[in-house]
Amino acid sequence: MVTTMFSACSDNGGDWSPVKHPECKEGGYLFAHMTNENYGSLFYSVSRDGYHWETLNNGNSVLPAYAGHPDIMKGRDAYYMIGVKRGTGIPMLWRSEDLVSWKGTKLSKSIFNKIKPLYGYENEEDWFGAPKLFYDKDQDNYIITWHAGNMGNGETREEWASKRTFYIETKDFKTFTAPKFLFKFTGYDENLATIDVIIRKIDGVYYAILKDERWDDEYPETAKTVRIARSTGGALGPYENPGPALTPPLREAPTLVMSADDAKFWIYCERYPYYYELYTSNSIESTDWAMEPFEGPKARHGCVVRVSEAEYQAITSTYKN
Amino acid sequence: MKRIYKLVTIFLALGTMCSCQKSIDKVDVWPEWPAPANVAINGASLDQMFYETYKGIEMDLTQGQTVTFSGLSKLRTVLQSHYWEVLSETEAKFLGFDGTYDIIWDNESSCLFTEPLEKAFPDELFLCGTGWGHQGAYKITTHGWSWERPTDMMSLRRVSPGVFEGSVYLASGFTFKFCKDHMMGMREYEIQSVDLSILQPEIIGGNNYGDFIPGSGFQPGVFNLTVDLNDNTLEVGTNMIIEPETFYVNGEAMTSNGSYQYYSIRLQKGDEVTFGNFGGIESALQPDFWEIVDDMGGKAIFKGETGIYDIYLDPNYMVVYTMCTVMSVQKGNAAWVAGVNWGHPGSAPRITATGWDLSAPNNCMQMRKVEKGVFEVTLYLPADFCIKFFKARDWNEEASTTVVTPLPESMFAAGVYNDPVTGPRATGDLVAGPDFKAGTYTVRVDYNRNIVYAVGHYTPKE
């Protein structure tokens, strides 16, 4: 069912919890996230089963130089994530081979800001619309997605309703294509405002997991929920209109992984501005996602990635409490 | 009370500013920035207007009172920490003394600014200057030496008689003074660097103008300031620091002077220059002087007149100013522009200029010669911009709209000051015409025809 992006796990869970959940046979989960108290900083939490989490480094940031909305992606040769140089409006690319040592390189903000002359959209340069990364192995290409609106800054209703998701492509993080809109939805979703979009490939189909950023008085069925759009044409679409809401309203920043026993799809998403929740389903195309209780870390906007045993050990030994 | 302060400050402004502009109806010209649609404080929405265009609410607050905020997702970065102790995602405890306060939303920084209704010493003390910001924003939020916005004068919290505290972000090259009232320009209302013993002089020092400026060991970050007027001290507590960086020109490290990264280089047309550790240079360099060869690789071709240039990197905005200060119209190789409310094109729509000043790199720009007697500069101009042109980098060399005619009239206008005693007089400023729209423009001054216009927006007659 699930191909290359998820490695296998088995049921040998510990019994230290009232509810026994299968643990990964090898490795575990890394949750890279920020906290409400330290918005934009990078914290690590780990778990063997995806239900019970421990925040490392005694609750301190693991990379003080990082600022952003962490989204770690395993690329061709290393892990990557994007952030900003705090206070300057300069985007940063971070690279690591072991998830412990990260090296930051500045990116040109003009890469993102071409949306202004091309489409009249503005980036907010504090966070650059929480860029996410996807490595398209078929094309050996990196895709960066982010959201921008009419004004850039400003938390107005109109600004959030104007958010659209853009993408650029790169093979080497040195040259980049011009930005384009990722979606062209129709009908009910023609004016869909989207943020926090992640792309994943499952069984040959590409899925964009997104937040519907419209308002509930106009779109009461899906406003401020997490939804999934699919594409059989490639990572860049065309994407079909997204399915129904898979979460209640006021959820965002979704991240997708397989369960420890590979039996279920898990979407963690933030019930902002409070904590993360876990939604599970037997199929990525299901319209029936159930919320499961889990002992999440004190986290806001982040991503969950599966890591090998060696990586798990390196992370936990470096940042042990 | 507020109206009285406004009258006083306007009067002072007329007396102290070296240049005034044509009357601008700010309500029409400035955008009305609404507060977030769903923000409420103790259940009340931000529907009162402050400083003409800012929304907020006037509230009676008592020390220790728990106040509920709704519609905000990042309370710790929205509230000023010297006035508020955040208790939860939606609640904060007020730390100030009992009284009436204005809580004002700044849409540009997505922050709330708290200030007392009665802006007067000894109950209150204010900080005003350049290069500082709301501590939660972690960037510059002030527009400079001004009192026209809630972001321009920060209210410190009085903790006891004569003792005031404030948490503030300080960027490279900051300057500030403390003010005893919501005004400036009068010595008796100012607390200058010479008035206080600075307990951490390596972080904050003083200059000959009485400003507080960066000390030798300063790095940008968030600082907690305690002004004690009983023993005349300033204590500087460090909250969060940004690590210093090194930038390179043609492989050589730039030098920091506390405000800018600096490099001097002889350049001639066609020279290829490499900028290292800038990330991208397309939004950093002035398009007037540089043609980008490799944005991420930091390579650009110089296209100005031959000379020894100073290259200044403003690390606050990551933009570069290129200038050869001895060039002039008389020498046939440059004109100059300065003013208020304008910005480097690479950081639009931010305002990077902090005031009328021909000495600081961010406050004046060299205009590149495009043909004999014709000079261009590309800059961001908001609706309330106000600039002048000079034939040399010297106040005595002004050759602005009393010499050149702004065209077309719908776009640009010559500044006029309506003196209540002597009547209207030309100021020499270039200001917005009735149909002007904020944006990035290449402004061309033609001293052969004595006209000034924006390239692409007007074609001179042959």
Side-chain angles (χ1 to χ4, degrees):
Chain A
M1 179 180 67
V2 179
T3 55
T4 52
M5 60 178 288
F6 306 114
S7 60
C9 297
S10 68
D11 184 355
N12 66 344
D15 54 3
W16 49 276
S17 164
V19 180
K20 186 178 178 182
H21 297 286
E23 290 189 350
C24 295
K25 182 180 180 182
E26 190 261 354
Y29 297 98
L30 169 66
F31 194 167
H33 59 86
M34 62 171 78
T35 67
N36 200 51
E37 289 75 17
N38 290 285
Y39 196 90
S41 295
L42 181 65
F43 297 82
Y44 273 0
S45 298
V46 292
S47 173
R48 289 289 193 183
D49 64 6
Y51 287 88
H52 304 87
W53 293 84
E54 179 186 13
T55 301
L56 301 177
N57 205 28
N58 293 311
N60 296 312
S61 170
V62 297
L63 184 60
Y66 177 85
H69 295 64
D71 179 54
I72 295 174
M73 175 269 304
K74 189 167 190 176
R76 185 188 309 122
D77 56 346
Y79 289 98
Y80 294 90
M81 62 178 171
I82 292 180
V84 294
K85 182 172 161 53
R86 200 183 281 268
T88 65
I90 300 295
M92 297 280 293
L93 175 72
W94 291 88
R95 181 182 185 278
S96 174
E97 294 182 359
D98 57 6
L99 294 166
V100 172
S101 299
W102 288 92
K103 185 175 187 302
T105 307
K106 295 190 193 76
L107 295 173
S108 173
K109 63 180 180 181
S110 62
I111 296 166
F112 298 89
N113 284 349
K114 287 190 173 71
I115 59 172
K116 172 73 172 176
L118 286 172
Y119 310 112
Y121 279 73
E122 294 263 12
N123 286 307
E124 55 82 19
E125 294 185 357
D126 287 345
W127 306 109
F128 269 101
K132 317 289 185 198
L133 285 160
F134 176 69
Y135 176 53
D136 188 354
K137 195 177 274 185
D138 296 345
Q139 304 295 323
D140 189 25
N141 220 18
Y142 295 105
I143 298 168
I144 303 172
T145 59
W146 78 101
H147 56 260
N150 286 339
M151 290 169 56
N153 288 328
E155 297 197 5
T156 65
R157 173 192 173 97
E158 293 75 17
E159 176 63 8
W160 285 110
S162 75
K163 297 294 188 191
R164 297 293 184 271
T165 296
F166 296 88
Y167 74 86
I168 49 179
E169 298 173 85
T170 181
K171 286 191 181 298
D172 54 9
F173 293 108
K174 292 177 181 171
T175 57
F176 300 82
T177 61
K180 292 181 179 174
F181 289 97
L182 182 60
F183 303 123
K184 190 176 182 182
F185 297 133
T186 59
Y188 172 85
D189 289 319
E190 185 174 2
N191 296 319
L192 181 58
T194 57
I195 70 165
D196 295 346
V197 174
I198 60 170
I199 298 172
R200 297 292 184 267
K201 183 183 182 185
I202 300 166
D203 289 343
V205 179
Y206 293 86
Y207 296 90
I209 304 169
L210 56 89
K211 181 193 180 191
D212 182 336
E213 193 58 291
R214 295 179 294 189
W215 294 87
D216 59 351
D217 54 351
E218 292 183 90
Y219 300 91
E221 294 176 5
T222 60
K224 310 294 180 189
T225 69
V226 173
R227 304 168 66 190
I228 301 178
R230 70 194 295 273
S231 163
T232 55
L236 301 175
Y239 282 91
E240 301 165 7
N241 279 13
L246 63 89
T247 68
L250 304 179
R251 271 66 173 178
E252 64 182 17
T255 180
L256 172 73
V257 287
M258 291 303 295
S259 62
D261 59 3
D262 273 340
K264 287 189 173 183
F265 292 87
W266 285 351
I267 290 179
Y268 297 91
C269 56
E270 182 188 337
R271 182 180 180 183
Y272 58 96
Y274 304 110
Y275 45 78
Y276 260 79
E277 293 175 337
L278 171 60
Y279 294 83
T280 75
S281 175
N282 293 324
S283 166
I284 187 68
E285 301 212 351
S286 171
T287 58
D288 184 21
W289 290 75
M291 188 175 77
E292 289 195 23
F294 86 117
E295 296 174 15
K298 194 177 178 184
R300 291 199 59 188
H301 207 121
C303 66
V304 177
V305 292
R306 284 287 297 274
V307 296
S308 69
E309 185 61 32
E311 290 166 336
Y312 194 93
Q313 291 297 336
I315 293 166
T316 52
S317 62
T318 303
Y319 298 114
K320 62 188 174 189
N321 291 324
Chain B
M1 191 67 180
K2 238 175 207 171
R3 197 166 294 162
I4 294 170
Y5 282 121
K6 198 154 282 182
L7 286 172
V8 170
T9 52
I10 288 170
F11 208 73
L12 282 169
L14 297 178
T16 56
M17 290 182 73
C18 60
S19 183
C20 300
Q21 65 186 58
K22 190 176 179 178
S23 172
I24 290 179
D25 184 352
K26 291 180 179 173
V27 176
D28 290 338
V29 177
W30 287 11
E32 182 179 320
W33 289 321
N38 53 347
V39 171
I41 303 177
N42 275 352
S45 58
L46 309 186
D47 55 6
Q48 293 173 256
M49 297 304 292
F50 298 87
Y51 298 90
E52 299 184 352
T53 57
Y54 291 82
K55 288 198 170 182
I57 187 169
E58 183 180 302
M59 298 187 77
D60 291 327
L61 295 169
T62 55
Q63 193 169 43
Q65 176 184 352
T66 298
V67 176
T68 302
F69 296 82
S70 57
L72 294 168
S73 58
K74 294 170 274 187
L75 215 49
R76 278 183 175 78
T77 63
V78 169
L79 294 174
Q80 288 168 294
S81 58
H82 56 278
Y83 268 118
W84 300 94
E85 178 188 344
V86 176
L87 303 175
S88 69
E89 313 292 350
T90 58
E91 290 182 326
K93 184 167 76 177
F94 183 67
L95 303 175
F97 280 106
D98 299 0
T100 305
Y101 290 81
D102 300 333
I103 305 172
I104 306 170
W105 175 260
D106 173 39
N107 214 44
E108 208 170 334
S109 62
S110 296
C111 288
L112 284 167
F113 287 79
T114 302
E115 55 184 51
L117 178 68
E118 305 294 333
K119 301 174 177 62
F121 187 81
D123 292 332
E124 303 299 336
L125 190 66
F126 301 91
L127 181 150
C128 186
T130 66
W132 64 269
H134 186 297
Q135 105 284 336
Y138 214 78
K139 62 180 181 182
I140 297 170
T141 54
T142 182
H143 289 240
W145 295 101
S146 167
W147 52 90
E148 293 183 341
R149 306 171 183 85
T151 54
D152 292 342
M153 272 208 168
M154 185 183 85
S155 169
L156 280 74
R157 178 175 64 91
R158 183 167 75 96
V159 293
S160 61
V163 181
F164 300 87
E165 286 184 358
S167 184
V168 62
Y169 170 76
L170 295 176
S172 293
F174 72 84
T175 60
F176 68 79
K177 287 187 175 86
F178 296 106
C179 305
K180 291 181 176 178
D181 216 326
H182 221 61
M183 59 175 69
M184 65 176 73
M186 297 172 71
R187 182 67 178 93
E188 60 267 37
Y189 283 94
E190 293 181 351
I191 296 174
Q192 301 186 355
S193 55
V194 293
D195 300 329
L196 299 179
S197 173
I198 303 170
L199 301 182
Q200 289 76 25
E202 70 283 5
I203 301 176
I204 291 181
N207 65 13
N208 293 336
Y209 303 105
D211 300 331
F212 294 89
I213 61 169
S216 58
F218 172 82
Q219 290 297 333
V222 174
F223 299 88
N224 298 325
L225 308 179
T226 303
V227 179
D228 188 336
L229 298 179
N230 302 312
D231 58 8
N232 293 321
T233 58
L234 170 65
E235 184 170 5
V236 185
T238 300
N239 193 327
M240 188 186 287
I241 292 296
I242 296 174
E243 291 300 314
E245 284 191 285
T246 304
F247 301 89
Y248 303 88
V249 177
N250 285 342
E252 292 188 29
M254 301 180 80
T255 305
S256 173
N257 67 1
S259 301
Y260 299 92
Q261 297 282 324
Y262 164 81
Y263 190 80
S264 181
I265 183 173
R266 179 177 174 80
L267 293 169
Q268 62 182 22
K269 202 170 289 184
D271 282 353
E272 182 176 289
V273 176
T274 302
F275 297 86
N277 196 30
F278 282 62
I281 55 172
E282 194 171 315
S283 57
L285 300 182
Q286 292 164 272
D288 302 319
F289 287 101
W290 301 96
E291 180 184 338
I292 306 300
V293 176
D294 182 353
D295 179 25
M296 284 289 292
K299 294 185 187 302
I301 301 287
F302 182 71
K303 56 183 185 181
E305 298 292 302
T306 299
I308 297 174
Y309 283 81
D310 299 322
I311 294 176
Y312 292 98
L313 167 65
D314 180 348
N316 299 323
Y317 297 102
M318 284 299 293
V319 292
V320 169
Y321 298 87
T322 303
M323 53 185 64
C324 177
T325 56
V326 298
M327 288 187 177
S328 65
V329 173
Q330 290 86 341
K331 293 175 182 172
N333 45 20
W336 296 82
V337 63
V340 291
N341 294 336
W342 60 272
H344 187 293
S347 58
R350 295 184 179 93
I351 307 297
T352 51
T354 57
W356 289 97
D357 177 10
L358 277 172
S359 59
N362 65 316
N363 283 334
C364 65
M365 273 193 182
Q366 181 171 338
M367 302 179 73
R368 181 175 63 93
K369 174 190 170 188
V370 290
E371 58 184 89
K372 186 178 179 184
V374 182
F375 304 91
E376 282 184 1
V377 64
T378 303
L379 67 181
Y380 171 72
L381 298 176
D384 57 347
F385 79 89
C386 183
I387 58 177
K388 279 182 176 180
F389 306 100
F390 301 84
K391 288 193 170 181
R393 201 176 182 222
D394 184 335
W395 290 113
N396 297 319
E397 295 293 338
E398 179 182 327
S400 197
T401 56
T402 54
V403 175
V404 292
T405 302
L407 293 170
E409 290 181 6
S410 58
M411 184 171 181
F412 287 147
V416 176
Y417 171 55
N418 290 304
D419 190 307
V421 178
T422 60
R425 63 175 170 82
T427 63
D429 301 334
L430 181 72
V431 297
D435 296 335
F436 177 81
K437 298 274 189 296
T440 299
Y441 294 94
T442 298
V443 177
R444 177 177 289 179
V445 173
D446 185 337
Y447 284 120
N448 303 319
R449 306 169 196 232
N450 285 333
I451 55 175
V452 55
Y453 58 96
V455 176
H457 296 266
Y458 177 79
T459 304
K461 293 172 185 168
E462 290 301 323

